[in-house]
Amino acid sequence: MPVAGIRPAPRRPDGSAADLVLRNAKVFTGDPARPRARALAVKDGRILALCDDEHELAGLTGPATRVVDALGRRVVPGLNDSHLHVIRGGLNYVLELRWDGVRSLRQALAMLREQAGRTPRGQWIRVVGGWTAEQFAERRMPTVAELNAAAPDTPVFVLHLYQSALMNRAAVRAAGYTRDTPDPLGGQIVRGRDGEPTGVLLAAPGALLLYSTLAKAPALDEAGRRTSTRHFLRELNRFGLTSALDAAGGFQNFPDDYATVVDLARAGELSLRIAYYLFPQTAGQELADLRRWTATVRPGDGDEWLRLAGAGENLTWAAADFENFAQPRPTLPDGYEAEFEQAVRLLTEHGWDFRLHATYDETVRRDLAVFEKLAAEGLFPGGGRWLFDHAETVSDHSLDRIAALGGAVSVQNRMSFQGTVFLDRYGAEATARTPPVRAMLERGLTVAAGTDATRVSSYNPWVALHWLVTGRTVGGTALYPAANLLEREEALGLYTRGGARLTGEEDVKGILREGFYADLAVLSQDYFTVPDAAIPDIESVLTVVGGRIVHAEAEYAGLDEVLPPVAPAWSPVARFGGYAGSGPRQAEAMAEAVAESERHRRWRAARGEGGVPGPAPDPVDPCFAH
C-alpha cells in the first residue's frame, strides 16, 4: 500500500536495501533483550533491523523496498503449532465441511443441507473434527435423523472428537455396513432393535473404527492434493501460523503421503515451515520401519522450509494410550516395554529425536521406567531431543523424572473441546491440573503449545491461547484455578519459542531479532489488550514467512501470493471457507451460499422445470423444536 513518511535512499550498489519495511507497528519481539519496537526491516528472508524511531530505517529503504504501514496494529512473532497434523490435513482440506467456530447447530445443519445440493454423486460430505457440541447455542450434537433430513441421498460422515461418528443412511450404505458387519476391536457399530446399523459409531475406546470408516470416502488425485495442501497452509497463515511440527499419525505413510509437501517445497510453494516426524503404521512392523528409516534418512534432512525432525508420535502401537475421555482410561498390555525399549534404544543409538503420545500418567510412568533403565546404561538420552505429547494427567513426580532426563512436553488444547467430558468422569479436583502447565514451567521444562488439529481440536491457535490464559472450554466451562493459568505473554511464548526449542531452531526463530527468520503476524486485534472472550476471534491481517507475504486481508488484500482456485468446484471450502470466525468473510460466504441456493431453486421453478423442490425444509429434528 502507498505509504508516506519514509523517503527512499539512493540506489545502493551493494544491494543492502531492505526487501520489506514494516512501520508504525506495536512490535512484540518476544526477545527479553529487546521486547518492543516500532518498525522492522527484512532482507533475504531475515530480520535486518528493528528500531523504535522508524526514521532509522530510511537508510535501509531503497526504490525496490516494499514499505507496509501496520496502522498501529500489534505485531507478534509467527506462531508455531508444536503438534499439528498438517500434512494429513492438507491432503483432505478441500473435501471437508468445517464446523470449526460455527456458533449454532442450526447453522451447521444449514451448511450441510446446502452442501448436499452441490456434492456430486459418489462423493461424501465430511465434517472432520474441530468442533464440539459445547460450541453450539443448542449445546447438543446433531442426530442421525437430522443428517438424513439435511442430506437424504448424499453420504454424510460427521466425526465428533475421538469419541464417535455419525453417518446418514447413504453413508452407511456407501461404507458397506450391514447387520452382518462385525464390530472391530476397540470400536462399536451401534445397531437398532432390528440389528441394522443406526449410523452411530463409537470409539470403545480406540478411534480406529472412526478413521477406517473415513478412509472409505473418495480421495483426491495428486494434483488435487497439491491444491488442497496449498489452501490449507494459507488457511493456517490466516491465523498467524508460520511454522508447525507435523506429528504424523495414523493413515499417514512415509514416503507416499509426504510426496505432496516435498513437491511443494521443491517448487518453493510452501507458505508454512514444517518439521515432520515419522510414525510406524502397522502393528508388528514398527521396528522394521524404524530400522529402515534410521538407515536411509536422518533428522535435519531438508531445509528451513521442510525438514525431518525425528520419529513419533507413536514408536510402537502397544505403547500408545487413547484420549477418549468419554471412556474409562485404557489399560495398556503387560510387557509392551520390551519392544518399546528396542525402539528407543535404536533411535538413541542413531541420534534420533523422538516424541511420544501419552495421555495418562500411568503411560508416562511406564515409559519413563524404560528411559531410566537406558540412562543407567549411559545410553539415554544420548544427545537427542525427546518429548511427551499431551500428558494431560501427568503427576508432579513424573514431571521431576522428565526434567531429570532432559525431556520436554508439548501440550495441546484438547481440553477446550473435551474438558467437560473429563470433568464429568474424573471430577473437579483432577480436572484442575489437566494438564499441569504451570507445574511444568516451574520445573524449567521446555513446554510448547499446539492444537492436535484437525481431527479433534480446531487448528485455530487463538482458541488454544484462550484456553491457556482463561482455563475455559469453547463452551465457557471453567476448568482450572488461577494457579494453573498463564499470563498472555507466557502463553504466547509456548506458541513461539517453545516450538522452536523442540526442533533445535531457537537460534533462528521464535522471536523477532536481527538475523532471525522474518516470520511474523500483524494481528486484527491486540492480543495483549482485548478482553479474554475476544482472544479466539483474533486473526492475522498480514502474515510474513521468510520475508514473503503469504496472507493478506483488510487493507492489505492483494499483497499476498496468488493461489490456484479451490478445486474441485463443489468443494465445501470453495463455498464456506474454513474456520467460521467472527470476521465478515465467513458470514458473507454463508449468506451468499444460502441466497444463491434459493435463487437457483426459484429460477428453475419459474422455468417450469418438473421435480423442482419447494423451499428447503428445516433440518432440525422436531424432537428439539421446543
Side-chain angles (χ1 to χ4, degrees):
M1 60 189 300
V3 176
I6 294 182
R7 179 171 298 173
R11 185 175 300 276
R12 295 170 173 269
D14 60 358
S16 62
D19 301 319
L20 173 69
V21 165
L22 182 68
R23 68 184 290 267
N24 190 22
K26 292 187 291 186
V27 181
F28 172 77
T29 67
D31 182 358
R34 183 178 191 161
R36 286 167 178 76
R38 292 290 298 172
L40 59 83
V42 175
K43 176 70 175 176
D44 296 330
R46 301 205 177 214
I47 302 293
L48 178 63
L50 292 154
C51 68
D52 296 315
D53 181 355
E54 55 198 38
H55 294 291
E56 296 175 27
L57 295 179
L60 300 174
T61 306
T65 301
R66 170 177 275 175
V67 180
V68 176
D69 193 324
L71 301 174
R73 288 189 170 101
R74 173 65 66 190
V75 175
V76 298
L79 303 187
N80 185 351
D81 191 317
S82 68
H83 187 120
L84 177 66
H85 297 280
V86 59
I87 293 175
R88 185 177 66 193
L91 298 180
N92 300 284
Y93 174 64
V94 299
L95 295 177
E96 296 172 355
L97 178 66
R98 303 302 306 183
W99 282 355
D100 308 45
V102 174
R103 304 298 174 89
S104 76
L105 178 59
R106 184 178 292 274
Q107 179 184 351
L109 290 171
M111 294 167 67
L112 181 61
R113 180 180 61 201
E114 203 278 333
Q115 183 59 35
R118 305 177 58 250
T119 303
R121 185 178 300 276
Q123 292 288 343
W124 293 28
I125 300 174
R126 298 159 239 211
V127 179
V128 185
W131 68 279
T132 179
E134 268 199 78
Q135 76 192 45
F136 294 145
E138 298 87 344
R139 311 289 285 194
R140 67 174 180 85
M141 291 177 59
T143 66
V144 171
E146 288 170 331
L147 302 189
N148 287 327
D153 302 313
T154 305
V156 175
F157 177 93
V158 178
L159 179 68
H160 184 237
L161 307 176
Y162 294 116
Q163 301 172 14
S164 61
L166 301 177
M167 307 170 72
N168 67 349
R169 283 188 297 265
V172 172
R173 289 194 300 269
Y177 292 149
T178 69
R179 64 168 57 241
D180 300 320
T181 304
D183 287 343
L185 183 65
Q188 180 184 357
I189 302 171
V190 178
R191 304 167 198 276
R193 293 191 184 94
D194 59 0
E196 296 291 341
T198 63
V200 178
L201 306 179
L202 297 179
L208 182 60
L209 171 61
L210 312 183
Y211 299 159
S212 61
T213 303
L214 178 60
K216 294 175 182 287
L220 293 166
D221 61 18
E222 182 50 41
R225 287 152 69 107
R226 200 174 192 277
T227 298
S228 179
T229 297
R230 292 192 68 187
H231 279 277
F232 184 49
L233 299 185
R234 176 66 63 87
E235 173 74 355
L236 299 176
N237 298 148
R238 167 189 164 197
F239 294 99
L241 281 164
T242 59
S243 292
L245 281 64
D246 183 88
F251 297 90
Q252 184 169 312
N253 290 288
F254 179 80
D256 296 350
D257 290 326
Y258 294 71
T260 299
V261 290
V262 169
D263 180 53
L264 291 173
R266 287 172 177 164
E269 293 177 345
L270 289 180
S271 62
L272 186 86
R273 304 183 193 274
I274 301 173
Y276 63 89
Y277 292 77
L278 304 184
F279 181 132
Q281 294 295 303
T282 306
Q285 190 180 306
E286 299 98 325
L287 290 174
D289 285 342
L290 293 173
R291 290 190 185 101
R292 185 175 70 256
W293 296 338
T294 55
T296 56
V297 293
R298 286 191 57 81
D301 285 354
D303 59 19
E304 64 191 58
W305 287 94
L306 182 68
R307 59 195 295 266
L308 173 61
E313 61 182 291
N314 278 359
L315 302 183
T316 61
W317 280 89
D321 58 21
F322 300 105
E323 56 278 31
N324 178 5
F325 298 139
Q327 295 280 332
R329 178 183 64 82
T331 300
L332 298 184
D334 293 336
Y336 82 71
E337 287 88 348
E339 184 183 38
F340 178 69
E341 179 185 328
Q342 292 183 63
V344 176
R345 188 182 295 271
L346 175 67
L347 294 170
T348 302
E349 289 173 347
H350 286 82
W352 273 54
D353 297 354
F354 66 87
R355 61 193 307 157
L356 285 173
H357 170 107
T359 301
Y360 297 97
D361 188 55
E362 289 78 0
T363 306
V364 172
R365 292 201 306 265
R366 290 178 67 174
D367 292 351
L368 284 170
V370 172
F371 302 157
E372 288 164 346
K373 176 184 176 181
L374 295 176
E377 300 177 25
L379 298 177
F380 190 85
R385 287 177 291 269
W386 68 276
L387 66 129
F388 278 115
D389 277 308
H390 316 310
E392 272 90 356
T393 72
V394 65
S395 65
D396 286 342
H397 180 55
S398 292
L399 291 177
D400 292 337
R401 295 166 71 189
I402 294 170
L405 291 169
V409 184
S410 173
V411 297
Q412 298 78 44
N413 65 312
R414 304 192 304 186
M415 292 289 282
S416 289
F417 296 82
Q418 300 186 102
T420 301
V421 175
F422 188 96
L423 179 65
D424 290 344
R425 177 171 293 279
Y426 296 106
E429 184 177 353
T431 302
R433 50 168 290 124
T434 302
V437 179
R438 175 61 64 193
M440 297 174 187
L441 294 173
E442 288 172 350
R443 285 161 173 79
L445 288 168
T446 291
V447 183
T451 59
D452 201 9
T454 62
R455 291 183 175 177
V456 56
S457 304
S458 170
Y459 49 75
N460 182 350
W462 301 101
V463 174
L465 284 160
H466 172 264
W467 165 74
L468 288 166
V469 168
T470 69
R472 293 183 179 272
T473 69
V474 293
T477 301
L479 302 175
Y480 311 130
N484 199 27
L485 302 180
L486 301 187
E487 298 297 327
R488 295 192 190 192
E489 186 171 326
E490 285 182 300
L492 186 62
L494 269 58
Y495 241 103
T496 51
R497 298 188 304 276
R501 288 170 179 157
L502 292 187
T503 54
E505 297 176 279
E506 63 270 30
D507 59 342
V508 290
K509 68 180 177 182
I511 62 175
L512 298 176
R513 177 189 287 173
E514 286 88 347
F516 277 52
Y517 295 152
D519 298 352
L520 58 94
V522 181
L523 304 182
S524 60
Q525 302 178 75
D526 190 341
Y527 164 70
F528 294 109
T529 61
V530 295
D532 286 347
I535 293 175
D537 297 327
I538 294 173
E539 297 185 15
S540 173
V541 294
L542 190 80
T543 305
V544 176
V545 187
R548 291 165 46 201
I549 297 176
V550 297
H551 167 76
E553 287 281 356
E555 296 88 351
Y556 312 105
L559 293 185
D560 49 3
E561 301 163 350
V562 176
L563 289 184
V566 175
W570 55 267
S571 162
V573 173
R575 180 67 84 185
F576 300 108
Y579 185 93
S582 62
R585 183 173 58 165
Q586 277 66 40
E588 290 174 1
M590 179 63 187
E592 289 173 3
V594 173
E596 183 175 331
S597 179
E598 177 61 14
R599 284 196 301 270
H600 184 64
R601 185 194 67 79
R602 291 177 179 175
W603 176 78
R604 291 179 61 197
R607 285 170 54 90
E609 294 186 17
V612 176
D618 192 335
V620 177
D621 193 323
C623 291
F624 297 95
H626 302 289

